[in-house]
Amino acid sequence: MPLPPDPTYEYEISRLVAYYKRAIADILRELERLDLSDISRANVQAALASIAKILKELDADATAWVEENVPKAALDGVARAILAIGVVDTLAEAQSIARFNRLNQNLVAAVVADTQADLLAVTKNVSGKVRAAVQSAVAESLRANLTKGISGRRTLNRDILTSMKRSLGESVNTGIVDAAGRRWKPEVYVDMVSRTKMMYAHTEATINEALGRGVLYGQISRHGATDACRNYEGKIVKLTPDAPGPYPYIGDLRGGRDIFHPNCRHLVNPIRKPEGVE
């Protein structure tokens, strides 16, 4: 039975990334308003308060996005499983009967919480680095003001101001380092996290639905990958380690760099009988 095209969730992900791009642009404008040549405590506190408000609104938007879209991806996985194993004949029919079993209810709750934690870490990272950069700028400004009246003051101040502005700008876009030591710009990291979590929710919900219907095998999707994933396209996998047959267990393939890595687009399509599947 032909399956629908693999989901990408490009529109949904681009909407989330847009939230972060807009917030970063707003923070940069707040920092540009600071008079770095004569920073006052009141101006610093006002700027930091505005930035905190921007980040709070960003967190609210991101939280709502996760609560809407992670369950959607998981429900898409349930419908795909129902269609793939032949319970119904069309995707529309599969979508009309798709529901979360207990395993998928727990899955969705866990992925929602995990994704929200990752996105909150982004705003926390930006907030901390902006505060550190502003504090450094205040210190530089105070030191520069102590040099008033000495020869070369204007040149020195211009160089200091340029350096301070660069440091403040970099504080917003400084890379986020993930658990594997990879460095990401905030919006790129958000794109990767949301894409990875959405595909994970979809695939795991597919597996849970298939197992709940007594289906023990799956086939990794194909999309013409050019990286190490290409070696796994179309391969049969076990959906549970206890299933008979000489097939790898899908759980053993996770966590590596070859397949189901961050940003990976591959899914698994349930199959009742792996023999003879191409």
Side-chain angles (χ1 to χ4, degrees):
M1 179 179 298
L3 292 173
D6 294 347
T8 61
Y9 304 113
E10 293 298 330
Y11 171 77
E12 293 87 351
I13 292 168
S14 66
R15 185 160 56 91
L16 177 64
V17 171
Y19 294 154
Y20 284 81
K21 287 183 176 180
R22 183 183 64 201
I24 287 171
D26 290 345
I27 291 170
L28 286 171
R29 279 192 289 272
E30 286 294 332
L31 294 175
E32 283 290 331
R33 293 191 185 101
L34 279 174
D35 182 2
L36 299 180
S37 63
D38 188 20
I39 295 180
S40 70
R41 180 178 178 82
N43 288 340
V44 168
Q45 292 303 316
L48 291 178
S50 294
I51 291 169
K53 181 180 178 182
I54 292 167
L55 293 176
K56 184 177 180 180
E57 291 173 352
L58 173 60
D59 282 341
D61 287 339
T63 295
W65 185 94
V66 172
E67 290 174 348
E68 173 188 354
N69 288 285
V70 167
K72 177 181 183 297
L75 200 61
D76 287 348
V78 172
R80 191 180 187 89
I82 292 171
L83 179 63
I85 61 182
V87 176
V88 295
D89 295 326
T90 67
L91 180 60
E93 290 176 293
Q95 290 171 333
S96 70
I97 64 173
R99 302 289 186 275
F100 289 145
N101 58 27
R102 185 178 297 275
L103 274 177
N104 277 332
Q105 288 175 355
N106 293 336
L107 165 73
V108 168
V111 179
V112 164
D114 192 42
T115 307
Q116 288 176 341
D118 282 345
L119 296 180
L120 287 172
V122 174
T123 53
K124 184 177 180 180
N125 177 281
V126 171
S127 177
K129 289 183 176 177
V130 166
R131 283 184 171 276
V134 169
Q135 289 171 358
S136 177
V138 170
E140 288 287 348
S141 178
L142 292 174
R143 282 193 291 269
N145 286 335
L146 291 175
T147 66
K148 287 181 179 178
I150 67 171
S151 177
R153 176 180 61 82
R154 291 181 180 178
T155 301
L156 176 63
N157 278 353
R158 184 165 58 246
D159 291 341
I160 291 174
L161 288 173
T162 299
S163 176
M164 289 161 65
K165 287 180 179 179
R166 183 173 60 250
S167 295
L168 288 172
E170 289 175 351
S171 70
V172 180
N173 287 305
T174 297
I176 295 169
V177 180
D178 65 17
R182 294 176 292 246
R183 185 173 293 276
W184 308 78
K185 292 183 67 175
E187 65 268 26
V188 177
Y189 182 77
V190 166
D191 184 290
M192 181 277 295
V193 164
S194 58
R195 188 181 307 277
T196 301
K197 300 295 187 183
M198 292 274 280
M199 298 305 283
Y200 176 80
H202 185 288
T203 298
E204 289 299 304
T206 300
I207 293 171
N208 290 342
E209 182 67 21
L211 291 174
R213 294 178 180 270
V215 177
L216 306 181
Y217 305 93
Q219 184 177 30
I220 295 176
S221 63
R222 296 184 176 97
H223 64 252
T226 57
D227 58 7
C229 286
R230 68 183 183 277
N231 299 317
Y232 294 85
E233 292 195 333
K235 283 192 175 297
I236 305 300
V237 293
K238 298 177 183 180
L239 303 184
T240 176
D242 299 328
Y247 311 107
Y249 169 49
I250 189 170
D252 292 337
L253 301 180
R254 293 195 179 279
R257 296 184 179 181
D258 292 342
I259 188 72
F260 303 126
H261 52 74
N263 273 331
C264 187
R265 291 170 49 197
H266 286 96
L267 305 171
V268 60
N269 297 309
I271 51 175
R272 290 191 180 275
K273 296 181 179 180
E275 299 84 1
V277 174
E278 297 181 357

